[in-house]
Amino acid sequence: MTTPPVYAERRARLAAQLGAGGVAIIPTAPARIRNRDSDYLYRHDSYFFYLTGFTEPNAWLVITAEGRCTLLCQPKDLEREIWDGIRLGPEAAPQALGVDEAHSVDELDRLMPGWLENRQRLWYPFATHSGLETQVERWLGSVRAKVRQGVACPTELMDACGPLDEMRLIKDALELDTMRRACDISAAAHIRAMQTSARRLRAGRDLREFHLDAELLHGFREAGSQYPAYGSIVAGGANACVLHYRADVAPIRDGDLVLIDAGCELDGYASDITRTFPANGRFTGPQRTLYDIVLAAQAAAVDATRVDARFVDPHNAAVAVLAQGMLDVGLLDRNTAGTVDDVIEHRRYTPFYMHRTGHWLGMDVHDCGAYTELNASGERVSRTLKAGMVLTIEPGIYVRPAENVPEAFWNIGIRIEDDAVVTPQGCELISRGVPVDTDAIEALMRD
Ligand code: GLY
Ligand code: MN
Ligand code: MN
């Protein structure tokens, strides 16, 4: 067996949750056409990868409650492999992936109904694979057609995302190791982009958002990352106030802040880092004022991130600091906005802070997993944090020009985002390979 044993352990844990007579079907992601006959760069399905470590397209995993694992994968095909690359093939798959048996994916429709016969419960990921529900119906139809021969058809359909999301929410040692390495790569790429920004401006060269995007990509790929975990945001000046802005052609000018939200994907795992820095390497007074409020908000959120806290606690901690800061610097007028408690209660901070302070992070940048749970009284409450959960902590302030808002702050957009592993002691920030302090940022942009 060549994949680490952790994949077999995860399959066994899933099997143990399928219930008597259960069977689970987990497909990987389809290849997708970008335009005409060009595909998008292939990205496997996260659930499938979590259970197999296998990254080829056209593959399915079938797991029974008894723990039997069957893979369907692309058959060996010399002609296709010349064009598209080597395939593992069903003959080598049991040895390589530790599954009990493997077949050609061309046999999927012929074999699947037989595997569903006399099974009670069928699990598959709901609403994640276009066409899967129809395919399942077809297979169940074939099973039902044999009912008069004494064959029993599954009577329960269950969402496989349920148990898998819960498993994925708590990262194991292999996952944490990969995520730490992904963060290290991304942090170095952020530093590279910061230094390029200052260097180009010092040299009097044109500086565009795409120049910094190119530095990020270089940093990711040079260190072995497969691709960015999501579309990199590189926003100069006022563009930082557009939350889902993408790196574009806009010029970055001396005196602008630059907001970069970018993280690489490494071996299937995302990192997600945001830094905001002065393009020329020196914060102005108003930039530093707002930056320090966001940094203090992040520190408060970090302090609130620990085992047995609730998911919403870091957000509430950040909002309290941001609200106070907005009143202190005049973004909010005390005469109309009231006290800090009023600002929080009536959400008067939302013109300047309109998103949540974090999200789960894992194979998907906005990773799976419920954000709420039922308490002892049956009420739905914010999720309790457990050791091994990974979440982002990313407060911000975004100031659009408006009447009653001090002009010195107009068009400043700041977000600081780090990735945190919940630990029994608190949380470990795994993305601090790139600094957040204003002095440290200025120092590295000077050198
Ligand atoms: N980069 C996406 C996010 O921060 O949520
Ligand atoms: Mn994020
Ligand atoms: Mn981000």
Side-chain angles (χ1 to χ4, degrees):
M1 190 167 127
T2 52
T3 53
V6 70
Y7 296 105
E9 287 160 21
R10 292 174 189 163
R11 293 194 293 267
R13 281 177 60 208
L14 178 62
Q17 297 175 71
L18 298 181
V23 58
I25 302 172
I26 314 288
T28 195
R32 293 181 205 281
I33 293 172
R34 182 176 182 276
N35 57 310
R36 202 168 172 91
D37 57 355
S38 296
D39 284 348
Y40 280 106
L41 204 56
Y42 181 69
R43 168 57 159 75
H44 53 262
D45 174 78
S46 295
Y47 293 116
F48 179 86
F49 178 78
Y50 181 71
L51 295 169
T52 60
F54 189 50
T55 56
E56 283 185 27
N58 294 321
W60 296 69
L61 181 68
V62 181
I63 301 181
T64 68
E66 299 75 40
R68 186 159 186 86
C69 299
T70 305
L71 185 87
L72 294 120
C73 61
Q74 300 176 119
K76 297 295 284 180
D77 178 333
L78 190 57
E79 172 72 11
R80 284 312 329 155
E81 289 179 60
I82 287 171
W83 290 91
D84 300 332
I86 300 293
R87 297 174 172 186
L88 177 64
E91 292 75 20
Q95 171 74 14
L97 302 177
V99 293
D100 298 296
E101 57 181 290
H103 302 271
S104 163
V105 70
D106 298 340
E107 302 276 352
L108 177 70
D109 284 328
R110 189 180 70 77
L111 292 172
M112 191 63 84
W115 292 335
L116 303 185
E117 286 179 11
N118 301 318
R119 288 276 161 191
Q120 210 167 304
R121 240 179 241 114
L122 171 56
W123 298 75
Y124 62 89
F126 286 3
T128 51
H129 297 264
S130 161
L132 179 58
E133 277 79 5
T134 314
Q135 226 162 342
V136 166
E137 264 185 39
R138 221 176 40 238
W139 294 329
L140 290 178
S142 303
V143 181
R144 187 159 291 148
K146 294 168 89 174
V147 164
R148 277 186 291 124
Q149 298 162 36
V151 169
C153 193
T155 54
E156 291 172 54
L157 298 183
M158 305 286 288
D159 186 4
C161 297
L164 284 170
D165 286 356
E166 286 303 301
M167 289 168 67
R168 283 176 52 186
L169 197 47
I170 309 282
K171 273 66 180 177
D172 59 35
L174 178 69
E175 295 183 288
L176 290 177
D177 177 62
T178 310
M179 292 184 77
R180 282 193 185 92
R181 288 189 291 118
C183 278
D184 286 346
I185 293 171
S186 298
H190 272 261
I191 289 176
R192 186 184 169 102
M194 288 177 180
Q195 292 181 330
T196 298
S197 173
R199 202 174 298 130
R200 283 186 83 101
L201 285 183
R202 272 200 297 269
R205 294 176 64 194
D206 184 33
L207 176 63
R208 306 274 172 159
E209 292 163 346
F210 61 73
H211 288 128
L212 303 186
D213 192 27
E215 296 300 324
L216 293 164
L217 203 51
H218 184 112
F220 294 169
R221 290 294 281 147
E222 186 186 40
S225 146
Q226 287 78 13
Y227 17 66
Y230 54 92
S232 299
I233 296 170
V234 180
N239 292 335
C241 296
V242 180
L243 295 181
H244 286 166
Y245 188 79
R246 296 287 293 271
D248 207 341
V249 299
I252 298 172
R253 300 192 178 88
D254 208 327
D256 281 349
L257 279 180
V258 183
L259 184 154
I260 294 186
D261 181 345
C264 73
E265 181 173 312
L266 180 70
D267 299 341
Y269 285 82
S271 51
D272 184 8
I273 303 180
T274 306
R275 290 292 182 266
T276 309
F277 58 90
N280 62 12
R282 288 178 315 281
F283 284 92
T284 65
Q287 290 169 352
R288 189 182 281 261
T289 297
L290 292 192
Y291 188 96
D292 283 339
I293 294 170
V294 177
L295 189 58
Q298 200 207 29
V302 169
D303 277 350
T305 303
R306 65 185 116 77
V307 165
D308 289 339
R310 300 227 169 248
F311 175 79
V312 76
D313 290 346
H315 176 71
N316 290 340
V319 162
V321 175
L322 293 173
Q324 184 63 58
M326 289 174 198
L327 288 168
D328 290 347
V329 302
L331 282 178
L332 291 173
D333 180 355
R334 284 178 206 280
N335 295 319
T336 51
T339 66
V340 70
D341 291 339
D342 295 330
V343 171
I344 294 167
E345 186 188 339
H346 301 290
R347 297 167 48 85
R348 296 199 173 117
Y349 54 84
T350 52
F352 309 107
Y353 184 51
M354 58 299 277
H355 59 76
R356 303 289 289 183
T357 303
H359 51 81
W360 306 130
L361 181 70
M363 285 184 279
D364 300 317
V365 65
H366 296 158
D367 207 30
C368 61
Y371 286 90
T372 57
E373 63 191 13
L374 294 177
N375 68 11
S377 322
E379 295 152 343
R380 191 154 282 285
V381 293
S382 178
R383 187 87 194 230
T384 307
L385 298 181
K386 302 278 179 231
M389 289 178 171
V390 181
L391 64 155
T392 64
I393 305 178
E394 49 178 307
I397 289 183
Y398 313 91
V399 187
R400 289 169 178 275
E403 250 183 86
N404 303 327
V405 171
E407 198 170 338
F409 298 131
W410 284 10
N411 294 319
I412 294 180
I414 294 166
R415 180 164 62 256
I416 306 171
E417 176 174 30
D418 281 290
D419 302 341
V421 182
V422 179
T423 69
Q425 293 75 35
C427 72
E428 176 196 350
L429 297 180
I430 57 174
S431 48
R432 281 290 173 90
V434 50
V436 287
D437 289 343
T438 49
D439 290 346
I441 288 173
E442 288 187 347
L444 77 85
M445 293 183 72
R446 249 193 319 271
D447 295 341

